[in-house]
């Protein structure tokens, strides 16, 4: 390819024409965009030829790693045969139908149906409408309110940003929309006080019960949560949390929505995050690892409880996207899942690389500026703290995280920081040597924080 001259100019073109998601454009344009040109395995390469270990799998999504030719070939074949057809007016395409069956085969015996979208945000909007439609069809049109959590993340559409618990997102555009309420998060390190993690897990879950009682069970449609909060900082709930949430949803007769956009497709060492925590969702949005990011696709897994109404008396559900079940994305997703199955990646995370990662990650807890380093499967959250004995936070949590993240980047490691937590979510194919490299480079960045910020 002879496009190097164009590439040398790309940062300027980008600054002139491209508005980036979640970015301060003034600051980004002054600094210049990093241009990622190619990738292989767990490594990405930028336009200056620098190589980085991507410990974040793109954006929590490239579960099978980069460079899978068979996914490209599956998409190419499908594009030649049938690049597009819809599933609106009594038609479908082979990949869409076979993908729904394939997803259901890994989701247990209650979640047998899938509604396709193009992203996790669209999946959020989809289940949100479905939950209200469900109760209305059952003769309870007053059950419309939805409870979510502070610091949760469910996407960037109006419903997604409303359901998410991100204050800065709410401040832009008068969000949340009506009918959405937030309760606390199970973030023991920051909010647990003198309670044990187990006690705090129960307390955090019981905020749901109190909120339902405040609103009235006859008004609440659903509760939504990520198995482990991802963008919020890999907040791993105490073991007592999820069973109590499931108990409350059942007792109060509200739908339990488990957002599987990050935790689905092997990240926690099970096909879905709810399987790790032993709870049964009524609705479960999926995206990301469904296609490992090779093409955009998402969806909602629908339990028999809700589906029986949808395929029963409901009539039309007036909802859908031009590209719901896009055949090329579905073909790529089918090949992606075939790889996960054939290479036993879910089992690998549960029995082999997950435990190896957990031990390596945990070893960072001996570092002076690490409060805790927890993980489940290949999802790790590390709490920065200037004084672990008192679980003290840095005075400027964002600055501490960015300092560590930038040091990692300068040394060829891509990590994400959420305030004062460092997050890892590598491809499920990462090797032991590559896990060691992540931990070594992160340790050097932690040294840098220790030596730079004295509090
Ligand atoms: N639910 C969850 C749990 C997510 O993590 C979405 C829904 C929305 O998916 P889409 O495909 O519409 O982006 C997400 C997305 C970050 C980051 O910085 C996280 C996400 C997206 C962008 C950035 O951690 N998660």
């Amino acid at each position: 390819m002879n496009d190097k001259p164009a590439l040398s100019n790309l940062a300027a073109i980008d600054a002139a024409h491209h508005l980036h998601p979640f970015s301060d454009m003034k600051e980004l344009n002054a600094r210049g965009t990093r241009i990622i040109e190619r990738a292989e395995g767990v490594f990405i390469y930028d336009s200056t030829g620098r190589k980085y270990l991507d410990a974040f799998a793109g954006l929590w999504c490239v579960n099978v790693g980069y460079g899978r030719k068979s996914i490209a070939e599956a998409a190419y074949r499908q594009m030649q045969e049938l690049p597009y057809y819809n599933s609106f007016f009594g038609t479908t395409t082979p990949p869409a139908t076979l993908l729904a069956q394939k997803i259901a085969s890994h989701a247990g015996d209650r979640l047998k149906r899938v509604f396709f979208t193009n992203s996790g945000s669209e999946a959020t909007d989809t289940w949100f409408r479905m939950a209200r439609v469900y109760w209305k069809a059952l003769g309870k049109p007053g059950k419309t309110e939805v409870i979510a959590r502070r610091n949760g993340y469910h996407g960037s559409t109006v419903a997604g940003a409303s359901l998410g618990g991100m204050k800065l997102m709410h401040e832009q555009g008068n969000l949340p929309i009506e009918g959405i309420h937030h309760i606390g998060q199970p973030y023991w390190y920051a909010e647990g006080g003198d309670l044990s993690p187990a006690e705090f897990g129960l307390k955090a879950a019981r905020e749901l019960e109190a909120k339902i009682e405040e609103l009235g069970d006859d008004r609440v449609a659903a509760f939504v949560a990520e198995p482990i909060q991802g963008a919020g900082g890999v907040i791993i709930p105490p073991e007592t949390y999820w069973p109590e949430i499931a108990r409350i949803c059942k007792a109060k007769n509200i739908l339990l929505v488990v957002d599987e956009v990050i935790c689905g497709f092997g990240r926690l060492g099970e096909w879905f995050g709810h399987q790790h925590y032993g709870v049964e969702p009524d609705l479960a949005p999926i995206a990301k690892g469904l296609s490992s990011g090779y093409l955009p696709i998402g969806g909602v897994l629908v339990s028999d409880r809700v589906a029986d109404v949808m395929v029963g008396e409901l009539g039309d559900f007036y909802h859908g996207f031009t590209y719901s079940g896009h055949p090329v994305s579905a073909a790529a997703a089918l090949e992606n899942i075939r790889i996960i199955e054939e290479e036993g990646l879910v089992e690998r995370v549960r029995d082999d690389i997950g435990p190896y990662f957990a031990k390596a990650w945990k070893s960072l807890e001996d570092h002076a500026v690490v409060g805790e380093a927890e993980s489940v499967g290949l999802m790790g959250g590390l709490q920065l703290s200037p004084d672990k004995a008192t679980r003290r936070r840095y005075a400027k949590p964002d600055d501490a995280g960015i300092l560590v993240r930038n040091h990692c980047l300068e040394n060829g490691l891509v990590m994400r920081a959420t305030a004062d937590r460092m997050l890892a979510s590598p491809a499920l194919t990462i090797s032991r040597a590559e896990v060691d490299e992540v931990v070594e480079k992160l340790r050097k960045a932690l040294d840098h924080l220790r030596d730079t910020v004295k509090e």
Side-chain angles (χ1 to χ4, degrees):
M1 283 217 289
N2 190 19
D3 56 359
K4 281 288 167 193
L7 281 180
S8 67
N9 198 20
L10 215 55
I13 297 172
D14 196 74
H17 298 292
H18 185 189
L19 296 174
H20 291 233
F22 280 89
S23 301
D24 175 338
M25 287 313 304
K26 188 173 173 188
E27 186 263 340
L28 178 59
N29 289 344
R31 178 160 43 99
T33 315
R34 198 182 306 273
I35 297 155
I36 306 303
E37 284 186 347
R38 62 191 179 88
E40 185 64 38
V42 297
F43 293 99
I44 59 172
Y45 298 82
D46 74 13
S47 56
T48 68
R50 286 193 65 187
K51 177 181 177 185
Y52 308 82
L53 197 169
D54 178 9
F56 209 60
L59 212 40
W60 320 85
C61 56
V62 188
N63 287 12
V64 298
Y66 298 101
R68 295 289 193 159
K69 292 211 166 38
S70 69
I71 300 182
E73 283 157 6
Y76 181 62
R77 273 197 308 275
Q78 183 57 44
M79 218 179 251
Q80 287 176 310
E81 189 145 320
L82 178 70
Y84 175 75
Y85 203 73
N86 70 69
S87 45
F88 273 56
F89 309 117
T91 54
T92 187
T93 63
T97 295
L98 293 175
L99 180 60
Q101 179 196 39
K102 175 57 77 184
I103 295 167
S105 76
H106 291 295
D109 52 14
R110 291 172 59 260
L111 295 161
K112 293 205 278 290
R113 290 182 173 84
V114 184
F115 189 107
F116 286 113
T117 68
N118 304 291
S119 68
S121 298
E122 288 179 4
T124 294
D125 281 51
T126 299
W127 73 250
F128 184 74
R129 296 196 62 207
M130 250 180 210
R132 288 177 165 181
V133 160
Y134 166 79
W135 287 115
K136 190 166 180 215
L138 289 184
K140 297 186 174 168
K143 266 172 100 71
T144 54
E145 306 302 287
V146 176
I147 301 171
R149 305 187 299 189
R150 286 194 286 282
N151 203 32
Y153 189 81
H154 303 290
S156 260
T157 49
V158 170
S162 292
L163 286 159
M166 305 293 187
K167 210 168 133 257
L168 296 174
M169 291 177 78
H170 291 170
E171 281 169 6
Q172 292 181 329
N174 298 346
L175 303 178
I177 53 171
E178 250 177 66
I180 290 175
H181 310 265
H182 293 89
I183 60 170
Q185 56 178 332
Y187 184 7
W188 174 77
Y189 194 92
E191 299 171 8
D194 293 334
L195 297 179
S196 70
E199 290 165 339
F200 178 70
L202 287 178
K203 178 170 177 267
R206 287 177 188 155
E207 279 191 41
L208 174 61
E209 196 161 38
K211 182 57 85 179
I212 297 169
E213 283 165 7
E214 176 195 322
L215 296 165
D217 358 346
D218 53 342
R219 288 185 57 218
V220 180
F223 168 70
V224 63
E226 304 150 76
I228 294 174
Q229 278 157 277
V234 183
I235 310 294
I236 300 173
E239 289 298 328
T240 49
Y241 182 78
W242 270 110
E244 185 66 0
I245 289 287
R247 181 195 69 74
I248 294 166
C249 290
K250 205 168 196 162
K252 299 291 187 189
N253 197 24
I254 67 165
L255 297 177
L256 173 58
V257 184
V258 179
D259 186 333
E260 294 281 3
V261 168
I262 286 178
C263 295
F265 300 93
R267 172 110 350 249
L268 304 189
E270 298 287 344
W271 276 90
F272 295 100
H274 68 265
Q275 295 163 340
H276 172 80
Y277 285 109
V279 296
E280 297 189 331
D282 297 304
L283 294 164
I286 53 179
K288 295 195 191 270
L290 167 57
S291 63
S292 284
Y294 278 70
L295 281 172
I297 185 166
V300 179
L301 264 162
V302 181
S303 68
D304 291 345
R305 176 184 184 181
V306 177
D308 286 350
V309 172
M310 297 193 68
V311 303
E313 295 314 304
L314 177 66
D316 265 24
F317 178 37
Y318 300 106
H319 180 84
F321 306 100
T322 303
Y323 302 133
S324 285
H326 194 288
V328 181
S329 298
L334 272 168
E335 176 58 15
N336 170 60
I337 296 177
R338 195 196 63 74
I339 291 171
I340 297 176
E341 289 172 348
E342 185 182 272
E343 297 182 7
L345 293 180
V346 177
E347 297 75 19
R348 178 173 193 264
V349 173
R350 188 185 61 215
D351 302 330
D352 176 29
I353 197 70
Y356 186 84
F357 174 80
K359 196 160 173 242
W361 191 251
K362 193 93 186 154
S363 74
L364 293 166
E365 275 187 1
D366 68 8
H367 198 284
V369 296
V370 175
E372 64 175 14
E374 300 286 324
S375 66
V376 177
L378 284 180
M379 192 164 173
L382 178 145
Q383 178 74 49
L384 304 172
S385 172
D387 179 13
K388 61 178 96 189
T390 59
R391 307 212 307 269
R392 191 151 57 83
R393 312 280 297 274
Y394 277 96
K396 292 186 178 163
D398 290 333
D399 291 0
I402 286 169
L403 191 102
V404 175
R405 187 201 64 190
N406 288 349
H407 191 280
C408 289
L409 207 53
E410 280 154 26
N411 288 285
L413 172 66
V414 176
M415 294 271 302
R416 172 144 163 36
T418 294
D420 52 358
R421 288 179 70 83
M422 303 308 301
L423 326 181
S425 162
L428 313 186
T429 52
I430 191 170
S431 70
R432 291 182 173 211
E434 288 157 354
V435 167
D436 293 344
E437 187 179 336
V438 171
V439 169
E440 275 161 34
K441 288 188 164 156
L442 178 53
R443 185 176 280 280
K444 290 205 177 98
L446 296 166
D447 291 346
H448 178 62
L449 173 66
R450 179 199 58 208
D451 299 341
T452 317
V453 181
K454 308 275 184 199
E455 288 185 3

